[in-house]
Amino acid sequence: GDAAPMEGPRVLQRYRRHGVLFCRLLCSQRYSLASSGVRAEVVEAFDINDVANDVYEHNFGHRPCQGNIQTLTAGDLDKYKAHAWLLSPPCQPYTRQGLQKHSADARAFSFIKILNLMQNMSFPPQMLFVENVVGFEVSDTHDQLLAVLSTLSFNTQEFILSPLQFGVPYSRPRYFCLFLQKRETSGDSS
């Protein structure tokens, strides 16, 4: 008979921006995942903003977990056993026109907290996707991200991409980073 189809990856969405612009990003991540052809289950989304959560619930029939991400523990994150995390930390600490306080900006604290929790998880994600403004890649928060994921044996690919590169007449470059946990080798030297 036919083999049972392999279960797709479990995905966790978190770190959303406040307001309607944030909702578009949150929903666009979910729509992009669906249109990619990857069979995945979104196991949870997180946002503290009522409006963002209303829009997400309207579009997907599920209300994101609402609360302060800084109160989460490694155990809280472990219970989702998510293979992949889609992360979009607040961009204000890294914007070129802002104060560029990076990790000293209170809006960066929740992202740094998650990085620290990852090191104590029993079931850390195998893949991460991080999106932010151009400027994040030169921040000390970015340095912390790379350091944590290096200790957890992740391969990293970083990009600055603009919709113009994909035929969309809109120039808004963004920072994207893909992280994939290195696989154990079987001891085969070939």
Side-chain angles (χ1 to χ4, degrees):
D2 293 334
M6 185 175 147
E7 183 178 306
R10 296 167 55 86
V11 178
L12 197 63
Q13 285 183 293
R14 59 180 86 211
Y15 291 106
R16 305 295 168 238
R17 293 187 189 89
H18 299 289
V20 176
L21 176 62
F22 153 74
C23 296
R24 290 186 187 134
L25 175 64
L26 179 104
C27 293
S28 69
Q29 282 183 340
R30 178 93 183 242
Y31 283 125
S32 295
L33 179 63
S35 68
S36 72
V38 173
R39 288 186 30 208
E41 171 191 6
V42 175
V43 294
E44 190 57 89
F46 293 82
D47 198 311
I48 199 166
N49 185 277
D50 283 323
V51 175
N53 289 337
D54 290 345
V55 172
Y56 191 93
E57 183 176 25
H58 173 79
N59 285 317
F60 302 110
H62 170 78
R63 188 160 188 87
C65 183
Q66 186 163 350
N68 186 339
I69 291 173
Q70 289 179 248
T71 64
L72 293 173
T73 66
D76 293 332
L77 297 174
D78 274 332
K79 75 178 181 183
Y80 295 109
K81 294 186 179 172
H83 300 99
W85 289 0
L86 309 178
L87 306 172
S88 184
C91 63
Q92 297 91 338
Y94 317 105
T95 59
R96 289 179 271 181
Q97 296 176 347
L99 298 176
Q100 298 179 2
K101 293 172 68 176
H102 303 182
S103 66
D105 189 309
R107 293 168 288 198
F109 295 171
S110 61
F111 185 65
I112 294 165
K113 166 81 183 236
I114 292 297
L115 293 178
N116 292 329
L117 289 177
M118 283 182 64
Q119 298 175 87
N120 299 311
M121 291 178 64
S122 298
F123 306 103
Q126 299 163 0
M127 296 172 272
L128 280 89
F129 172 80
V130 177
E131 175 275 339
N132 213 291
V133 295
V134 171
F136 178 82
E137 77 282 4
V138 296
S139 70
D140 62 341
T141 308
H142 171 264
D143 295 342
Q144 291 176 52
L145 170 67
L146 294 183
V148 166
L149 294 178
S150 176
T151 66
L152 294 173
S153 299
F154 277 84
N155 288 319
T156 304
Q157 291 188 319
E158 300 180 274
F159 307 91
I160 302 292
L161 300 172
S162 171
L164 287 172
Q165 293 171 270
F166 302 96
V168 177
Y170 183 56
S171 179
R172 186 173 184 236
R174 303 292 286 182
Y175 166 82
F176 296 94
C177 193
L178 305 173
F179 299 94
L180 181 63
Q181 197 166 41
K182 297 175 185 173
R183 296 188 187 262
E184 296 287 327
T185 58
S186 61
D188 180 50
S189 60
S190 56

